[in-house]
Amino acid sequence: MYQQTTRGIQITVQPIFLDEQSSPDEGYYVWAYNVKIENGGTQTVQLRSRYWRITDARGRIDEVRGPGVVGEQPILEPGESFEYTSGTPLPTPSGFMVGTYQMVAEDGEEFDVAIPAFSLDSPHERRRVN
């Protein structure tokens, strides 16, 4: 698991390789990732939008921006959490993702919450020890 906290908002990510949806012979690899957003701060916040930077093993970068997550813009009071699962395909057997959630606090202040960088690794990746 990967974790990072920004201004009391803790983000925990667990990536999972989806072998049954992947086709390694065709250069198609799929991961799900489960995200838990926990408000450990003192103000109610709302997740307004997301930004992801997805990098494959060849260094190709895909940027994704959009409102909310999985069609929702959750509001989290102090002590509350929100969890969701999404996914991403890659043309390589490994890569990584990193990003931010754009939040707004109850006082109207907008701020970014860091999503920790996490590794996308499949069992089809040849491992080399340097």
Side-chain angles (χ1 to χ4, degrees), residues 83-110:
E83 199 165 340
Y84 73 95
T85 300
S86 191
T88 190
L90 285 180
T92 60
S94 67
F96 65 91
M97 293 177 64
V98 67
T100 55
Y101 294 125
Q102 292 73 47
M103 304 289 227
V104 62
E106 61 190 344
D107 64 6
E109 180 186 4
E110 296 180 359

Side-chain angles (χ1 to χ4, degrees), residues 15-112:
I16 304 149
F17 180 69
L18 300 177
D19 201 32
E20 68 281 357
Q21 293 184 26
S22 300
S23 298
D25 292 341
E26 297 171 21
Y28 188 76
Y29 304 86
V30 181
W31 286 265
Y33 52 91
N34 181 268
V35 178
K36 185 174 185 180
I37 304 164
E38 298 177 86
N39 184 358
T42 59
Q43 287 193 61
T44 299
V45 297
Q46 181 176 21
L47 190 157
R48 289 283 178 86
S49 62
R50 71 192 183 285
Y51 165 75
W52 287 106
R53 190 176 75 226
I54 307 163
T55 306
D56 70 18
R58 294 183 192 110
R60 187 181 66 86
I61 296 171
D62 187 19
E63 294 182 310
V64 178
R65 298 174 196 275
V69 290
V70 294
E72 297 188 49
Q73 293 180 316
I75 296 172
L76 300 172
E77 293 183 19
E80 289 186 332
S81 64
F82 178 81
E83 199 165 340
Y84 73 95
T85 300
S86 191
T88 190
L90 285 180
T92 60
S94 67
F96 65 91
M97 293 177 64
V98 67
T100 55
Y101 294 125
Q102 292 73 47
M103 304 289 227
V104 62
E106 61 190 344
D107 64 6
E109 180 186 4
E110 296 180 359
F111 62 98
D112 288 344

